[in-house]
Amino acid sequence: MLTLLDYAGVVVFAAAGALAASRKQLDIIGFLFFSAVTGVGGGTLRDLILGRLPVFWVKEPIYILVCVATGILVFFTAHFVEWRYKLLLWLDAIGLAAYSVMGALIGLETTGSPIIAIVTGMLTATCGGVLRDILADEPSVLLRPEIYITAALAGASAFVLCHAQGVPLYLSAAVGFAAAFALRGGALYYSWTIPRYRPRPGRDPDDALKK
């Protein structure tokens, strides 16, 4: 189940990256690049921070092949989808849920620290999407009003808490996935948000430098 969850995270993030490439009308190489960056970007950052070298896709190149296959598939099928940005967000939600668990599991196995596990779960789940949006010049998922990082936090925390209570690993993973996806899915469907900073908007940088 955990292996399936790992590959599912790669596939859906790679598909979301390829959909971003389709919105920019890139060639097939652009599709493959976006698929790979989005599919393995979060896990790469996690491994670098944890010192797990070489990073996971260097030790197991099949992850890159999965991204390539997904990118090719989306290249030939993306035009059948009318609302590609909406699909991108929902695929990103599935990838976020899967990677929040896998990132937390790897952080826990590597360090034994629940806090580090939660942090690595959040990083793994969110950084691929952030890189995709920066490269595609799309509005960043971090800047959208709906809940995003909080969903990854909930998924990683739920997994770590269940694991600490002795819950079987597959069940802990299922609970973490469900928590993250329910929160992110609810945010997309019902526009759930958390309170934002509103006391006073930031000043224009040029105005702020004037004496």
Side-chain angles (χ1 to χ4, degrees), residues 13 36-48 56 99 120 123-129 131:
F13 266 140
V37 168
T38 312
V40 303
T44 299
L45 180 61
R46 174 203 64 216
D47 286 358
L48 290 174
F56 73 105
Y99 264 13
T120 55
L123 287 175
T124 308
T126 59
C127 286
L131 287 172

Side-chain angles (χ1 to χ4, degrees), residues 42 46 49-50 99-100 103-108 115-125:
R46 174 203 64 216
I49 290 174
L50 293 175
Y99 264 13
S100 67
L105 173 62
I106 291 172
L108 201 59
I115 294 179
I116 298 302
I118 292 171
V119 171
T120 55
M122 292 171 59
L123 287 175
T124 308

Side-chain angles (χ1 to χ4, degrees), residues 12-170:
V12 295
F13 266 140
L19 284 173
S22 76
R23 285 170 51 79
K24 298 300 178 181
Q25 297 182 304
L26 302 181
D27 59 25
I28 192 167
I29 302 302
F31 272 68
L32 301 185
F33 178 76
F34 270 78
S35 293
V37 168
T38 312
V40 303
T44 299
L45 180 61
R46 174 203 64 216
D47 286 358
L48 290 174
I49 290 174
L50 293 175
R52 300 176 76 245
L53 301 175
V55 296
F56 73 105
W57 54 267
V58 174
K59 289 189 286 188
E60 298 182 61
I62 189 172
Y63 286 101
I64 295 296
L65 296 179
V66 168
C67 291
V68 168
T70 304
I72 293 172
L73 178 64
V74 174
F75 181 81
F76 288 106
T77 59
H79 59 281
F80 293 118
V81 181
E82 184 175 359
W83 296 102
R84 278 174 279 177
Y85 190 64
K86 183 178 290 187
L87 177 60
L88 183 156
L89 290 176
W90 280 101
L91 287 175
D92 186 87
I94 297 171
L96 179 144
Y99 264 13
S100 67
V101 172
M102 290 306 303
L105 173 62
I106 291 172
L108 201 59
E109 289 178 340
T110 305
T111 68
S113 168
I115 294 179
I116 298 302
I118 292 171
V119 171
T120 55
M122 292 171 59
L123 287 175
T124 308
T126 59
C127 286
V130 172
L131 287 172
R132 174 199 65 222
D133 292 341
I134 291 173
L135 292 171
D137 196 26
E138 294 275 15
S140 174
V141 288
L142 290 180
L143 300 180
R144 290 178 59 85
E146 302 93 0
I147 291 170
Y148 188 69
I149 291 181
T150 307
L153 172 64
S157 300
F159 168 77
V160 170
L161 181 61
C162 288
H163 187 272
Q165 298 301 315
V167 177
L169 191 58
Y170 73 92

Side-chain angles (χ1 to χ4, degrees), residues 185-198:
L188 291 174
Y189 193 80
Y190 297 107
S191 299
W192 290 345
T193 62
I194 55 178
R196 304 176 68 186
Y197 177 81
R198 292 186 182 276

